[in-house]
Amino acid sequence: MVKWTVHPASRLGNKMGEYAVLYALAKLNHHQAYVLPQMQSELGKIFKISLPVISQELADSINWRPYRLHDWMSEEYLNITGQYVKLFGTPCSWTFYHHIREEIRREFTFHDELKKEANSYLEKLKGSKVNVTFIGVHVRRGDYVKVMPKLRKGVVADKNYLQKAMDYFRGKYDNPLFVLTSNGMDWCKENVNNSLGDVHFVGDGQERSPAHDFALLAHCNHTIMTIGTFGYWAAYLVGGETIYLTNFTLPDSSYLKIFKYEAAFLPEWIGIPADLSPLLNQSQLN
């Protein structure tokens, strides 16, 4: 029997991308996909994923054909040969699976307890307000604060970007309520304008146990993301309006050889260009 799997790497958002791409490519190539125990143990605790698990003992005994993917769908992926194929890479692009979007979103159905907790938390935040529109906000900082300028000639989201994104929703809805999660919460509390009292800083930012933060974001109505796969997947599951940071690298960044903006973000999402002046000023100083 033909077996396909994927090498699980990195954290939650990347693993979701790996799972979705395995699911979609195996289906396109008419093969059965299996997940390794490590992926099942992480994703299976959060979502009602349906792909069967292959035991580690059996997986170790198979002579897999390694097949490395880049970050967007290519025609050659429609005809991948080999009886035992293990996909490598961490692609996060709708171009692989958007044609079966509802299936992918169904694969990432939350377990009932997580769903109940998220909805209960949002109800508590709403209080007595009526016609509340929940906007999930994910601010990716952590290692990216150094990785982006040093390795990718890029930036992370600044306070002006977040102000513009929030003001868009404030201008569109009567009672927007921003549910903000981050792995840099201290920075957020110092830099995000909450003079209107409509921003709630929630979650603990713990990257080792991100399920609760992710569930909160995914149960909002719309999304503001910055960069990274965690925010991308929250937006993709929500399915509402999404504002994202775009053009966050200099044009000569080597990162653009492996990353395409048009493949990373859905066409209907709203991109706000990053302020690259800190990078430009730094290059002038050098």
Side-chain angles (χ1 to χ4, degrees):
M1 182 182 180
V2 175
K3 287 184 171 70
W4 278 31
T5 192
V6 65
H7 175 71
S10 198
R11 293 175 285 204
L12 178 61
N14 281 340
K15 282 198 177 74
M16 292 177 70
E18 292 155 8
Y19 182 97
V21 168
L22 170 66
Y23 184 102
L25 290 186
K27 188 167 187 172
L28 283 169
N29 285 272
H30 309 292
H31 295 316
Q32 176 61 55
Y34 293 81
V35 294
L36 295 169
Q38 182 188 343
M39 179 168 279
Q40 169 62 32
S41 67
E42 183 164 350
L43 295 185
K45 285 188 296 189
I46 305 172
F47 308 110
K48 299 179 180 180
I49 54 175
S50 69
L51 290 182
V53 187
I54 186 171
S55 73
Q56 194 62 53
E57 184 180 10
L58 179 55
D60 290 342
S61 71
I62 292 174
N63 184 25
W64 298 99
R65 179 200 172 191
Y67 195 97
R68 184 158 293 278
L69 302 167
H70 49 235
D71 275 9
W72 52 88
M73 182 63 183
S74 295
E75 192 173 345
E76 65 262 30
Y77 298 160
L78 297 174
N79 187 28
I80 300 173
T81 59
Q83 186 172 8
Y84 300 109
V85 174
K86 181 184 284 190
L87 304 176
F88 284 82
T90 54
C92 182
S93 171
W94 57 274
T95 58
F96 286 95
Y97 44 75
H98 200 56
H99 60 289
I100 51 169
R101 180 176 191 173
E102 291 311 310
E103 283 186 54
I104 296 300
R105 291 175 71 187
R106 192 161 56 246
E107 287 295 308
F108 294 132
T109 299
F110 287 88
H111 285 300
D112 295 346
E113 190 59 33
L114 263 177
K115 183 176 182 179
K116 182 180 177 182
E117 283 180 17
N119 284 327
S120 175
Y121 195 100
L122 293 177
E123 277 297 311
K124 195 181 300 181
L125 289 183
K126 183 171 75 171
S128 59
K129 291 182 179 179
V130 295
N131 297 324
V132 168
T133 302
F134 290 105
I135 317 296
V137 184
H138 181 249
V139 181
R140 177 73 157 86
R141 290 186 61 79
D143 58 333
Y144 269 28
V145 174
K146 292 182 178 179
V147 168
M148 291 305 293
K150 287 188 175 181
L151 300 181
R152 298 181 178 175
K153 291 187 179 180
V155 296
V156 294
D158 61 15
K159 64 180 182 181
N160 290 328
Y161 163 77
L162 292 167
Q163 184 74 45
K164 288 177 187 176
M166 290 178 174
D167 284 348
Y168 169 83
F169 287 110
R170 288 182 178 122
K172 191 163 186 177
Y173 298 102
D174 291 334
N175 287 310
L177 194 156
F178 299 94
V179 181
L180 189 151
T181 72
S182 177
N183 60 350
M185 193 61 84
D186 290 343
W187 181 91
C188 292
K189 289 178 179 178
E190 291 175 8
N191 289 277
V192 174
N193 181 1
N194 194 21
S195 58
L196 296 175
D198 56 1
V199 182
H200 292 265
F201 303 95
V202 302
D204 54 17
Q206 294 299 310
E207 295 176 352
R208 292 183 181 178
S209 52
H212 295 283
D213 281 11
F214 188 79
L216 280 175
L217 294 174
H219 284 85
C220 290
N221 304 111
H222 306 288
T223 307
I224 295 171
M225 61 171 289
T226 52
I227 51 178
T229 55
F230 193 88
Y232 165 87
W233 273 109
Y236 196 81
L237 296 189
V238 167
E241 281 192 276
T242 297
I243 293 182
Y244 67 95
L245 187 71
T246 190
N247 299 345
F248 48 76
T249 59
L250 292 176
D252 62 345
S253 169
S254 60
Y255 184 57
L256 297 179
K257 294 176 182 177
I258 61 169
F259 177 86
K260 292 182 178 180
Y261 289 103
E262 65 272 20
F265 308 110
L266 287 171
E268 64 267 28
W269 290 2
I270 302 166
I272 295 178
D275 177 9
L276 297 176
S277 61
L279 290 175
L280 297 170
N281 293 338
Q282 186 63 37
S283 64
Q284 288 170 1
L285 289 174
N286 294 338

